[in-house]
Amino acid sequence: SEHPSGPGTHPHPQGGDGTMKRLMVWEPALAANDKHTLISSVAESLAQQGVVSFGEQDALVEALVAREDLGNTLIATNTAIPHATCPAVTAGAFVYVKLAEPLLDWSEGAAVDRFVFTVVPEQPSADDGEAVKRFFTSLADDAVLNVFSTGSQESVTQIFQ
């Protein structure tokens, strides 16, 4: 079933007016065997959700790859937080991905199977800015970080949604 998109149509208890979407993909059937495939499939998914302008997901892929090229975004041995600001992004979003098999090419010497993608427009709303700030601040809490990097689907859902 189709849901209307746009500000306020996805209310979120902790997220102000709810403009910052939160999507979770747990062990998708689609095998992402490498970094580029995973980034591309997340960008494609965000385009389908209306978070990225139609046909412009390649711009988001480039922005995420460029950020990763600056230095790895690992926050635990198996968990990365890829993030990007991109003109193709029309609304901020967090995407939590747990892969069935870890990627060995994300960061040298690491087997990474969990990712929290953060994408925001070039001019994020005040609510999106606050949501991003709250999220990154929460990662400083070892208990929160531990759930993101080792928690069950249920426990991750509780703190992510």
Side-chain angles (χ1 to χ4, degrees):
S1 66
E2 287 293 316
H3 296 287
S5 61
T9 57
H10 299 279
H12 183 265
Q14 289 89 32
D17 68 357
T19 55
M20 195 85 178
K21 287 185 186 241
R22 289 165 193 258
L23 309 170
M24 191 158 146
V25 184
W26 197 271
E27 298 188 358
L30 167 74
N33 301 321
D34 58 56
K35 181 191 274 193
H36 197 272
T37 302
L38 176 62
I39 290 173
S40 295
S41 62
V42 167
E44 181 65 39
S45 173
L46 288 171
Q48 291 168 3
Q49 294 282 333
V51 172
V52 177
S53 298
F54 180 75
E56 292 190 32
Q57 56 267 33
D58 287 352
L60 178 57
V61 170
E62 287 174 23
L64 286 163
V65 168
R67 170 58 193 89
E68 284 301 311
D69 287 347
L70 292 176
N72 88 50
T73 55
L74 287 181
I75 56 168
T77 55
N78 69 320
T79 308
I81 50 168
H83 50 279
T85 300
C86 177
V89 174
T90 57
F94 295 109
V95 184
Y96 183 94
V97 180
K98 158 69 172 80
L99 298 176
E101 294 294 325
L103 296 185
L104 300 178
D105 74 335
W106 191 271
S107 184
E108 197 171 333
V112 185
D113 68 344
R114 294 178 186 231
F115 305 83
V116 186
F117 287 83
T118 304
V119 301
V120 290
E122 280 195 315
Q123 300 292 322
S125 69
D127 281 344
D128 283 359
E130 275 301 308
V132 170
K133 191 167 121 185
R134 273 197 312 275
F135 173 72
F136 282 101
T137 301
S138 77
L139 294 177
D141 181 332
D142 287 344
V144 171
L145 181 56
N146 194 43
V147 171
F148 277 124
S149 60
T150 65
S152 66
Q153 184 172 5
E154 184 182 8
S155 61
V156 171
T157 300
Q158 284 176 347
I159 66 165
F160 184 61
Q161 303 297 348

